[in-house]
Amino acid sequence: MSYKPHLPELVSDLKSNPSLIHDAEFLDLKHVLETAFASTFPPKSNTTANNEEDVEDNVDIKIEDRDIVGPEVEPVDPPLLSVKEGEELSETDMNSMMEAKSNASQAFSNGDFASALEEYTKALRLQPTSALTFSKRAECFVKLKRNKAAKQDCEQALKINPDSAKAMKVLGTAQRYLGEYEEACKNLGQGLAIDFDEESAKVEKEAEKFFHEIRVAKSKEKAKREQEEKKKMEERRKEAEEAMKNANMGGGNGGTPGGNPGGFPGAFPPGMEGLMNDPEVMEAMMNPKVMSVLQQAQSNPGALIAAMSDPEVGPLLQKIVGKMGGSMGGGGGGGGKDCGEDENDDNGGEFQEEEEERERAAKIGKYEIREFAFLGRS
Protein backbone atom coordinates (compact mmCIF):
# COMPACT_ATOMS: atom_id res chain seq x y z
CA MET A 1 0.00 0.00 0.00
CA SER A 2 1.39 3.43 -0.92
CA TYR A 3 1.41 6.17 1.72
CA LYS A 4 2.88 8.77 -0.62
CA PRO A 5 -0.42 10.51 -1.52
CA HIS A 6 -1.03 11.29 2.16
CA LEU A 7 2.45 12.40 3.23
CA PRO A 8 2.10 16.06 2.08
CA GLU A 9 -1.04 16.46 4.20
CA LEU A 10 0.64 14.83 7.22
CA VAL A 11 3.80 16.93 6.87
CA SER A 12 1.76 20.11 6.46
CA ASP A 13 -0.27 19.40 9.59
CA LEU A 14 2.84 18.68 11.67
CA LYS A 15 4.57 21.82 10.41
CA SER A 16 1.63 24.01 11.34
CA ASN A 17 1.18 22.35 14.72
CA PRO A 18 4.19 20.28 15.89
CA SER A 19 2.41 19.24 19.10
CA LEU A 20 0.15 16.99 16.98
CA ILE A 21 2.91 14.36 17.20
CA HIS A 22 1.80 13.82 20.80
CA ASP A 23 -1.77 12.94 19.79
CA ALA A 24 -2.91 9.39 20.33
CA GLU A 25 -3.25 8.70 16.60
CA PHE A 26 0.46 9.42 16.08
CA LEU A 27 1.79 7.38 19.01
CA ASP A 28 3.10 4.61 16.75
CA LEU A 29 4.77 7.07 14.38
CA LYS A 30 6.31 8.97 17.29
CA HIS A 31 7.61 5.74 18.82
CA VAL A 32 9.25 4.67 15.54
CA LEU A 33 10.93 8.05 15.07
CA GLU A 34 12.20 8.06 18.65
CA THR A 35 13.51 4.51 18.69
CA ALA A 36 14.77 4.08 15.13
CA PHE A 37 15.99 7.62 14.42
CA ALA A 38 16.63 9.01 17.93
CA SER A 39 14.25 11.86 17.17
CA THR A 40 13.24 14.32 19.87
CA PHE A 41 10.09 16.41 19.92
CA PRO A 42 8.99 19.66 21.59
CA PRO A 43 6.77 19.25 24.63
CA LYS A 44 3.04 19.11 24.08
CA SER A 45 1.64 22.62 23.86
CA ASN A 46 -1.17 23.64 26.15
CA THR A 47 -3.17 26.64 24.99
CA THR A 48 -5.87 26.35 27.65
CA ALA A 49 -3.68 26.41 30.76
CA ASN A 50 -6.05 28.46 32.87
CA ASN A 51 -6.31 26.25 35.94
CA GLU A 52 -4.62 23.47 37.84
CA GLU A 53 -6.08 20.74 35.66
CA ASP A 54 -4.53 22.34 32.58
CA VAL A 55 -1.12 22.19 34.24
CA GLU A 56 -1.62 18.45 34.71
CA ASP A 57 -2.29 18.12 30.97
CA ASN A 58 1.34 18.97 30.31
CA VAL A 59 2.32 15.61 31.76
CA ASP A 60 2.70 13.06 28.96
CA ILE A 61 1.00 9.93 30.27
CA LYS A 62 1.08 6.76 28.20
CA ILE A 63 -1.42 4.01 28.84
CA GLU A 64 -1.82 0.69 27.13
CA ASP A 65 -4.84 0.82 24.86
CA ARG A 66 -4.47 -1.61 21.99
CA ASP A 67 -7.64 -0.40 20.34
CA ILE A 68 -6.22 3.05 19.63
CA VAL A 69 -6.21 3.66 15.89
CA GLY A 70 -2.98 5.08 14.42
CA PRO A 71 -2.57 7.52 11.54
CA GLU A 72 -5.32 7.06 8.97
CA VAL A 73 -4.31 5.79 5.56
CA GLU A 74 -7.20 7.39 3.68
CA PRO A 75 -7.46 11.20 3.52
CA VAL A 76 -10.45 12.92 5.08
CA ASP A 77 -12.75 14.31 2.41
CA PRO A 78 -13.87 17.93 2.82
CA PRO A 79 -17.39 18.39 4.23
CA LEU A 80 -20.16 18.24 1.65
CA LEU A 81 -21.86 21.52 0.91
CA SER A 82 -25.48 21.82 1.93
CA VAL A 83 -28.17 22.33 -0.70
CA LYS A 84 -29.45 25.85 -1.02
CA GLU A 85 -32.22 26.80 1.34
CA GLY A 86 -35.60 26.13 -0.20
CA GLU A 87 -34.19 23.93 -2.97
CA GLU A 88 -36.09 20.68 -3.52
CA LEU A 89 -34.96 17.44 -5.12
CA SER A 90 -36.48 16.30 -8.32
CA GLU A 91 -38.48 13.11 -8.20
CA THR A 92 -35.64 11.26 -9.96
CA ASP A 93 -33.04 12.46 -7.44
CA MET A 94 -35.34 11.67 -4.56
CA ASN A 95 -35.78 8.09 -5.79
CA SER A 96 -32.02 7.74 -6.29
CA MET A 97 -31.37 9.00 -2.78
CA MET A 98 -33.86 6.58 -1.23
CA GLU A 99 -32.38 3.69 -3.20
CA ALA A 100 -28.83 4.62 -2.06
CA LYS A 101 -29.93 4.72 1.57
CA SER A 102 -31.63 1.33 1.23
CA ASN A 103 -28.55 -0.19 -0.38
CA ALA A 104 -26.34 1.33 2.34
CA SER A 105 -28.48 -0.08 5.14
CA GLN A 106 -28.42 -3.55 3.56
CA ALA A 107 -24.66 -3.47 3.02
CA PHE A 108 -24.07 -2.33 6.63
CA SER A 109 -26.23 -5.19 7.95
CA ASN A 110 -24.12 -7.62 5.91
CA GLY A 111 -20.88 -6.20 7.32
CA ASP A 112 -19.86 -4.67 3.99
CA PHE A 113 -18.98 -1.28 5.48
CA ALA A 114 -17.05 -0.05 2.44
CA SER A 115 -20.09 -0.50 0.20
CA ALA A 116 -22.35 1.03 2.81
CA LEU A 117 -20.01 4.03 2.99
CA GLU A 118 -20.16 4.43 -0.77
CA GLU A 119 -23.95 4.30 -0.85
CA TYR A 120 -24.38 6.78 2.02
CA THR A 121 -22.00 9.12 0.20
CA LYS A 122 -24.23 8.89 -2.91
CA ALA A 123 -27.25 9.80 -0.80
CA LEU A 124 -25.47 12.76 0.83
CA ARG A 125 -24.34 14.13 -2.49
CA LEU A 126 -27.96 14.31 -3.53
CA GLN A 127 -29.19 15.79 -0.24
CA PRO A 128 -26.54 16.67 2.37
CA THR A 129 -29.07 17.94 4.92
CA SER A 130 -29.82 14.76 6.85
CA ALA A 131 -28.19 14.52 10.29
CA LEU A 132 -29.11 10.85 10.46
CA THR A 133 -27.46 10.04 7.12
CA PHE A 134 -24.26 11.83 8.20
CA SER A 135 -24.33 9.88 11.46
CA LYS A 136 -24.78 6.57 9.67
CA ARG A 137 -21.96 7.31 7.27
CA ALA A 138 -19.83 8.25 10.30
CA GLU A 139 -20.64 4.83 11.75
CA CYS A 140 -19.24 3.26 8.59
CA PHE A 141 -16.06 5.32 8.99
CA VAL A 142 -15.67 4.03 12.57
CA LYS A 143 -16.04 0.43 11.38
CA LEU A 144 -13.36 1.10 8.76
CA LYS A 145 -11.12 2.69 11.47
CA ARG A 146 -11.32 6.11 9.87
CA ASN A 147 -12.21 7.94 13.04
CA LYS A 148 -11.14 11.40 11.93
CA ALA A 149 -13.59 11.24 9.05
CA ALA A 150 -16.22 9.91 11.45
CA LYS A 151 -15.69 12.92 13.73
CA GLN A 152 -16.12 15.28 10.80
CA ASP A 153 -19.41 13.68 9.75
CA CYS A 154 -20.74 13.72 13.32
CA GLU A 155 -19.85 17.38 13.74
CA GLN A 156 -21.70 18.14 10.52
CA ALA A 157 -24.69 16.14 11.74
CA LEU A 158 -24.75 18.09 15.02
CA LYS A 159 -24.71 21.37 13.10
CA ILE A 160 -27.88 20.21 11.35
CA ASN A 161 -29.45 18.74 14.49
CA PRO A 162 -27.72 19.58 17.82
CA ASP A 163 -29.93 17.03 19.61
CA SER A 164 -29.02 14.05 17.43
CA ALA A 165 -28.35 11.18 19.86
CA LYS A 166 -26.96 9.05 17.05
CA ALA A 167 -24.38 11.70 16.15
CA MET A 168 -23.35 12.13 19.80
CA LYS A 169 -22.83 8.42 20.32
CA VAL A 170 -20.90 7.84 17.10
CA LEU A 171 -18.80 10.94 17.79
CA GLY A 172 -17.99 9.65 21.28
CA THR A 173 -17.07 6.25 19.86
CA ALA A 174 -14.70 7.81 17.31
CA GLN A 175 -13.10 9.90 20.04
CA ARG A 176 -12.62 6.84 22.23
CA TYR A 177 -10.58 5.15 19.47
CA LEU A 178 -8.59 8.34 18.93
CA GLY A 179 -7.64 8.40 22.61
CA GLU A 180 -9.77 11.48 23.33
CA TYR A 181 -11.29 9.84 26.40
CA GLU A 182 -12.65 12.88 28.21
CA GLU A 183 -14.53 14.15 25.17
CA ALA A 184 -15.69 10.60 24.42
CA CYS A 185 -17.21 10.25 27.89
CA LYS A 186 -19.01 13.56 27.52
CA ASN A 187 -20.57 12.84 24.11
CA LEU A 188 -21.41 9.22 24.82
CA GLY A 189 -23.02 10.19 28.10
CA GLN A 190 -25.20 12.82 26.45
CA GLY A 191 -26.20 10.52 23.61
CA LEU A 192 -27.00 7.59 25.89
CA ALA A 193 -29.15 9.81 28.09
CA ILE A 194 -31.35 10.42 25.04
CA ASP A 195 -31.20 6.98 23.39
CA PHE A 196 -29.58 4.11 25.27
CA ASP A 197 -27.97 1.12 23.57
CA GLU A 198 -25.68 -1.58 24.95
CA GLU A 199 -22.88 -1.23 22.41
CA SER A 200 -22.39 2.51 23.02
CA ALA A 201 -22.63 1.96 26.77
CA LYS A 202 -19.79 -0.56 26.55
CA VAL A 203 -17.63 1.93 24.67
CA GLU A 204 -18.44 4.57 27.27
CA LYS A 205 -17.22 2.28 30.06
CA GLU A 206 -13.96 1.70 28.18
CA ALA A 207 -13.46 5.45 27.73
CA GLU A 208 -14.22 6.08 31.40
CA LYS A 209 -11.72 3.40 32.43
CA PHE A 210 -8.87 4.91 30.41
CA PHE A 211 -9.79 8.46 31.35
CA HIS A 212 -9.67 7.47 35.03
CA GLU A 213 -6.27 5.80 34.56
CA ILE A 214 -4.87 8.96 32.97
CA ARG A 215 -6.23 11.21 35.71
CA VAL A 216 -4.78 8.99 38.44
CA ALA A 217 -1.41 8.81 36.67
CA LYS A 218 -1.34 12.58 36.21
CA SER A 219 -2.19 13.16 39.85
CA LYS A 220 0.61 10.85 40.95
CA GLU A 221 3.08 12.50 38.61
CA LYS A 222 2.04 15.93 39.83
CA ALA A 223 2.44 14.88 43.47
CA LYS A 224 5.86 13.42 42.65
CA ARG A 225 7.02 16.63 40.99
CA GLU A 226 5.76 18.75 43.86
CA GLN A 227 7.59 16.51 46.34
CA GLU A 228 10.80 16.74 44.31
CA GLU A 229 10.50 20.51 44.12
CA LYS A 230 9.85 20.70 47.85
CA LYS A 231 12.91 18.54 48.50
CA LYS A 232 15.08 20.78 46.30
CA MET A 233 13.87 23.89 48.11
CA GLU A 234 14.57 22.30 51.48
CA GLU A 235 18.06 21.25 50.42
CA ARG A 236 18.72 24.74 49.11
CA ARG A 237 17.46 26.28 52.32
CA LYS A 238 19.73 24.06 54.44
CA GLU A 239 22.76 24.81 52.25
CA ALA A 240 22.18 28.55 52.47
CA GLU A 241 21.51 28.33 56.20
CA GLU A 242 24.72 26.38 56.79
CA ALA A 243 26.70 28.81 54.66
CA MET A 244 25.35 31.72 56.68
CA LYS A 245 26.26 30.00 59.93
CA ASN A 246 29.78 29.30 58.70
CA ALA A 247 30.19 32.88 57.50
CA ASN A 248 28.89 34.21 60.80
CA MET A 249 31.24 32.05 62.91
CA GLY A 250 34.21 32.58 60.61
CA GLY A 251 34.87 36.21 61.63
CA GLY A 252 36.37 38.80 59.37
CA ASN A 253 33.78 41.48 60.00
CA GLY A 254 34.72 42.40 63.51
CA GLY A 255 33.08 41.44 66.76
CA THR A 256 30.09 42.54 68.70
CA PRO A 257 30.27 42.74 72.49
CA GLY A 258 28.78 39.64 73.96
CA GLY A 259 28.25 38.15 70.50
CA ASN A 260 29.92 35.75 68.10
CA PRO A 261 33.19 36.52 66.31
CA GLY A 262 31.24 37.18 63.12
CA GLY A 263 29.79 40.32 64.62
CA PHE A 264 26.22 39.22 65.47
CA PRO A 265 24.85 37.60 68.61
CA GLY A 266 23.31 34.18 67.96
CA ALA A 267 23.42 31.97 64.91
CA PHE A 268 22.09 34.54 62.43
CA PRO A 269 22.45 38.31 62.00
CA PRO A 270 19.41 40.39 63.01
CA GLY A 271 16.66 40.20 60.42
CA MET A 272 18.12 37.08 58.75
CA GLU A 273 16.63 34.35 60.94
CA GLY A 274 13.48 33.93 58.88
CA LEU A 275 14.89 34.50 55.40
CA MET A 276 15.80 30.88 54.79
CA ASN A 277 12.21 29.87 55.58
CA ASP A 278 10.74 32.49 53.28
CA PRO A 279 9.54 30.79 50.04
CA GLU A 280 9.89 34.01 48.01
CA VAL A 281 13.51 34.43 49.08
CA MET A 282 14.27 30.79 48.36
CA GLU A 283 12.65 31.07 44.94
CA ALA A 284 14.78 34.12 44.18
CA MET A 285 17.93 32.31 45.27
CA MET A 286 17.16 29.46 42.89
CA ASN A 287 17.92 31.87 40.05
CA PRO A 288 21.55 31.29 38.94
CA LYS A 289 22.01 34.99 38.11
CA VAL A 290 20.98 36.00 41.62
CA MET A 291 23.44 33.55 43.15
CA SER A 292 26.19 34.83 40.85
CA VAL A 293 25.60 38.40 42.01
CA LEU A 294 25.56 37.37 45.67
CA GLN A 295 28.85 35.52 45.26
CA GLN A 296 30.43 38.54 43.57
CA ALA A 297 29.20 40.73 46.42
CA GLN A 298 31.51 38.86 48.83
CA SER A 299 34.54 40.61 47.35
CA ASN A 300 32.86 43.46 45.49
CA PRO A 301 29.78 44.94 47.20
CA GLY A 302 29.41 47.33 44.28
CA ALA A 303 28.33 44.39 42.09
CA LEU A 304 25.18 44.13 44.19
CA ILE A 305 24.30 47.78 43.67
CA ALA A 306 24.99 47.53 39.94
CA ALA A 307 22.76 44.45 39.65
CA MET A 308 19.77 46.36 41.03
CA SER A 309 19.22 47.86 37.57
CA ASP A 310 19.05 44.41 35.93
CA PRO A 311 15.39 43.83 34.90
CA GLU A 312 15.60 40.14 35.80
CA VAL A 313 17.77 40.17 38.91
CA GLY A 314 16.96 43.63 40.31
CA PRO A 315 13.38 42.89 41.44
CA LEU A 316 14.50 39.65 43.12
CA LEU A 317 17.29 41.40 45.00
CA GLN A 318 14.95 44.20 46.00
CA LYS A 319 12.51 41.60 47.30
CA ILE A 320 15.21 40.24 49.62
CA VAL A 321 16.28 43.77 50.63
CA GLY A 322 12.70 44.58 51.53
CA LYS A 323 12.31 41.48 53.67
CA MET A 324 15.63 42.13 55.43
CA GLY A 325 14.93 45.81 55.94
CA GLY A 326 11.55 45.13 57.52
CA SER A 327 13.20 43.22 60.34
CA MET A 328 16.13 45.56 60.92
CA GLY A 329 14.43 48.89 61.55
CA GLY A 330 14.65 48.84 65.35
CA GLY A 331 18.17 47.59 65.83
CA GLY A 332 20.34 50.54 64.82
CA GLY A 333 22.92 51.92 67.22
CA GLY A 334 22.39 55.53 68.17
CA GLY A 335 20.60 58.01 66.05
CA GLY A 336 17.62 58.56 68.38
CA LYS A 337 17.09 61.34 70.90
CA ASP A 338 18.19 60.89 74.50
CA CYS A 339 15.43 60.62 77.04
CA GLY A 340 16.32 63.94 78.54
CA GLU A 341 16.67 65.87 75.27
CA ASP A 342 14.38 68.79 74.83
CA GLU A 343 12.22 68.39 71.73
CA ASN A 344 12.18 72.17 71.30
CA ASP A 345 15.95 72.60 71.45
CA ASP A 346 16.84 75.29 68.90
CA ASN A 347 20.64 74.80 69.10
CA GLY A 348 21.00 72.82 65.86
CA GLY A 349 18.84 69.88 67.09
CA GLU A 350 16.97 69.47 63.81
CA PHE A 351 20.18 69.54 61.76
CA GLN A 352 21.79 66.97 64.07
CA GLU A 353 18.78 64.69 63.78
CA GLU A 354 18.99 64.77 59.96
CA GLU A 355 22.69 63.90 60.10
CA GLU A 356 22.02 60.99 62.44
CA GLU A 357 19.26 59.72 60.13
CA ARG A 358 21.67 59.71 57.19
CA GLU A 359 24.26 57.82 59.26
CA ARG A 360 21.62 55.25 60.20
CA ALA A 361 20.67 54.74 56.54
CA ALA A 362 24.32 54.31 55.59
CA LYS A 363 24.78 51.66 58.28
CA ILE A 364 21.76 49.73 57.07
CA GLY A 365 23.03 49.85 53.48
CA LYS A 366 26.39 48.39 54.50
CA TYR A 367 24.63 45.82 56.65
CA GLU A 368 22.46 44.59 53.77
CA ILE A 369 25.42 44.33 51.39
CA ARG A 370 27.31 42.28 53.95
CA GLU A 371 24.33 39.97 54.48
CA PHE A 372 24.04 39.42 50.71
CA ALA A 373 27.64 38.31 50.84
CA PHE A 374 26.63 35.67 53.40
CA LEU A 375 23.82 34.49 51.11
CA GLY A 376 26.22 34.34 48.19
CA ARG A 377 28.46 31.82 49.90
CA SER A 378 25.81 29.14 49.57
Side-chain angles (χ1 to χ4, degrees), residues 274-347:
L275 278 180
M276 292 303 101
N277 292 320
D278 191 307
E280 290 187 347
V281 173
M282 290 308 303
E283 181 181 358
M285 291 183 64
M286 294 296 286
N287 187 311
K289 291 183 68 173
V290 171
M291 289 307 301
S292 176
V293 171
L294 296 180
Q295 288 167 358
Q296 292 176 41
Q298 297 179 54
S299 57
N300 178 22
L304 181 65
I305 298 173
M308 288 294 185
S309 61
D310 187 302
E312 178 184 353
V313 177
L316 300 176
L317 295 175
Q318 289 172 10
K319 182 183 294 185
I320 302 177
V321 168
K323 290 183 178 292
M324 291 171 61
S327 304
M328 300 185 300
K337 290 187 178 181
D338 294 334
C339 294
E341 186 177 349
D342 188 352
E343 292 183 2
N344 297 317
D345 187 1
D346 294 330
N347 298 324

Side-chain angles (χ1 to χ4, degrees), residues 80-123:
L80 293 168
L81 297 176
S82 299
V83 293
K84 295 180 180 179
E85 186 175 353
E87 182 178 340
E88 295 184 0
L89 291 178
S90 66
E91 184 176 350
T92 301
D93 286 344
M94 179 65 72
N95 291 335
S96 297
M97 182 193 67
M98 296 301 294
E99 181 182 0
K101 284 185 177 181
S102 177
N103 293 338
S105 179
Q106 185 63 42
F108 190 93
S109 299
N110 295 334
D112 187 356
F113 306 118
S115 296
L117 174 63
E118 186 178 344
E119 293 296 325
Y120 279 128
T121 300
K122 289 180 182 179

Side-chain angles (χ1 to χ4, degrees), residues 174-224:
Q175 289 168 327
R176 176 261 176 274
Y177 292 118
L178 289 171
E180 301 169 4
Y181 303 115
E182 183 175 6
E183 295 85 353
C185 291
K186 174 185 174 182
N187 288 306
L188 283 164
Q190 290 178 343
L192 287 167
I194 299 172
D195 180 28
F196 182 86
D197 71 86
E198 292 290 344
E199 185 176 352
S200 298
K202 180 181 177 182
V203 176
E204 182 190 31
K205 287 183 179 179
E206 293 174 357
E208 287 175 345
K209 171 181 174 291
F210 290 120
F211 181 50
H212 176 71
E213 287 182 11
I214 290 174
R215 289 299 298 269
V216 170
K218 284 184 177 180
S219 296
K220 288 182 179 179
E221 182 65 23
K222 182 185 175 186
K224 180 182 176 183

